[in-house]
Amino acid sequence: MQPLQPLQPGASIAASRRFVAQNWRRLIAAPAPRALREQGDFNVRHATVAGLSCLSCVCYSRFLSRPSKSVRLLRTRATAVTSAATIEEEVEEDVASSRRPRLRLDKDDAGNLQKLMVTTPLFYANGSPHIGSAYPAIAADVMARYGKLREAEVHYVTGMDEHGEKIARTAAGQDKTPQELVDGIATEFQDLWDLLKVQPDHFARTTPAKHKEIVHEMWQRCLDNGDIYKKDYSGFYCVGCEAYLDEDEMSEGHICKIHQKECEWRSEENYFF
């Protein structure tokens, strides 16, 4: 097998995307440090866009091998490519703007990367993973691998947010307990990470006993400091948003603009921070 053609330092984002399109099978099959070290300098902004391009190639390969799902996967591929183009435009805009906050990395006096912690959102566990789950996981994985290439101490976290009324309702609709539901969804997420070669250092879940112990300790600290108080509150509540909505967040008939479902009027005593 011929070695990868080097991607020259300072190459454009478009060149990074072309490189991944031509070599994605080898990039996702080999350990990242070896595969990326062969092709030269690969900075964070190029890596993020290349990761999205890689996602589109993975989806396209599954489209070819599983034609029965062609429409859905082709749409997925198109979404991934569109996202990559959008990120490219935003990165270029960020470079030109000094008003936006920039990514700050922990470096030593010589400029060497020391530590990097990267996390995806903790995904809601009321449904199967989708391209919106894959996108941040791949982008974060690319950044984590970049840090490891630079011999930094890297910790990459992803996981699931396993609480909320919508999880309880989804479980009831499937004749399952909430724990049975989230256990099944957790397996689906981990299977997806295996498919996409995403390698987090920690897959966080909010139902294990260890997590509950940490939450209890933090709650008690806030309570002891007087940071938490009880209060009566009334308003239109969206289960999907898990929040009370203001009038400008709803359409006529108190319909949530995001979920397109009618909000519920609720009055409850709750804790506030």
Side-chain angles (χ1 to χ4, degrees), residues 119-134:
T119 179
T120 67
L122 292 187
F123 302 104
Y124 277 123
N126 64 318
S128 298
H130 45 76
I131 192 170
S133 316

Side-chain angles (χ1 to χ4, degrees), residues 26 69 93 99 175 246:
R26 295 169 65 185
K69 296 186 177 180
E93 185 179 349
R99 293 178 296 175
D175 198 24
D246 293 330

Side-chain angles (χ1 to χ4, degrees), residues 100-118:
R100 296 187 178 183
R102 296 180 180 275
L103 177 65
R104 295 185 179 182
L105 301 177
D106 183 10
K107 298 182 179 181
D108 61 17
D109 294 338
N112 298 315
L113 187 61
Q114 295 292 291
K115 295 181 179 180
L116 176 64
M117 180 172 179
V118 58

